[in-house]
Amino acid sequence: MLEWFTAATWSPYIVGAGIGVLIWFTFLLSDRPLGASTAYAKTAGMVETALSREKAESMPYYQKFTPTVDWQWILVIGIVIGAFLSAVLSGTFSVITVPPLFAGAFGTDMIFRGIVALAGGILMGLGARWAGGCTSGHGISGTLQLSLASLVAAICFFAGGILVAGMIYGFTFI
């Protein structure tokens, strides 16, 4: 059993089934779908509240999504801790400032890599908020509920990901 926790990779079929069971328990225990992108918006709201409380409280978005630490925020913290523990237990943990694939395509400049990563994160966050959910919200919880909007969003996530990966690294995978 311990070997399972220390494996560098797990079967995607078992992990997919585990995520499906997690969604069932999430709905059963909280009556809410699983999602994480709202936590980032709430974090931005907490920062904005710290800088200008009146302005943040007057914004309709933050009236709908109150900038507080809630279960989604704790979920994101849990994801980070779980990923760290998994990497340490499997012996694959290392600090890499520029991933080898990126370095092979664009060089080893850490500042450029940081700017690209930040821009990508901002675009993903904006896309998730405009779509009303992220990959976990639409792709996992929404498709489990057979939501047409989530099915369309999940198809667009894959199409956009394949297109951008091909534009950046070339379409050698086709």
Side-chain angles (χ1 to χ4, degrees):
M1 181 74 177
L2 190 58
E3 303 89 40
W4 190 64
F5 284 108
T6 60
T9 59
W10 293 357
S11 164
Y13 304 109
I14 292 174
V15 172
I19 291 172
V21 171
L22 175 66
I23 295 294
W24 292 341
F25 279 110
T26 301
F27 276 115
L28 180 68
L29 298 175
S30 70
D31 199 27
R32 292 173 184 241
L34 192 61
S37 63
T38 306
Y40 297 102
K42 288 184 175 188
T43 302
M46 286 187 263
V47 170
E48 195 164 339
T49 300
L51 296 175
S52 175
R53 176 173 296 277
E54 298 84 30
K55 197 168 190 175
E57 288 176 349
S58 67
M59 297 179 72
Y61 185 84
Y62 293 135
Q63 291 171 357
K64 183 177 179 183
F65 299 101
T66 310
T68 56
V69 174
D70 62 357
W71 70 273
Q72 287 179 324
W73 213 86
I74 299 299
L75 175 68
V76 172
I77 299 297
I79 290 169
V80 171
I81 292 171
F84 174 76
L85 288 176
S86 176
V88 169
L89 288 173
S90 67
T92 59
F93 179 78
S94 64
V95 177
I96 299 173
T97 55
V98 180
L101 182 63
F102 187 88
F106 301 105
T108 58
D109 186 353
M110 287 178 17
I111 295 173
F112 179 65
R113 168 63 180 152
I115 291 169
V116 169
L118 181 63
I122 289 171
L123 288 174
M124 285 182 62
L126 286 173
R129 292 297 78 218
W130 282 336
C134 60
T135 51
S136 59
H138 276 299
I140 299 171
S141 295
T143 55
L144 182 75
Q145 299 174 74
L146 302 177
S147 164
L148 180 59
S150 293
L151 290 171
V152 170
I155 291 169
C156 290
F157 294 152
F158 278 104
I162 291 169
L163 180 66
V164 171
M167 288 171 28
I168 293 174
Y169 297 112
F171 288 95
T172 57
F173 53 88
I174 294 179

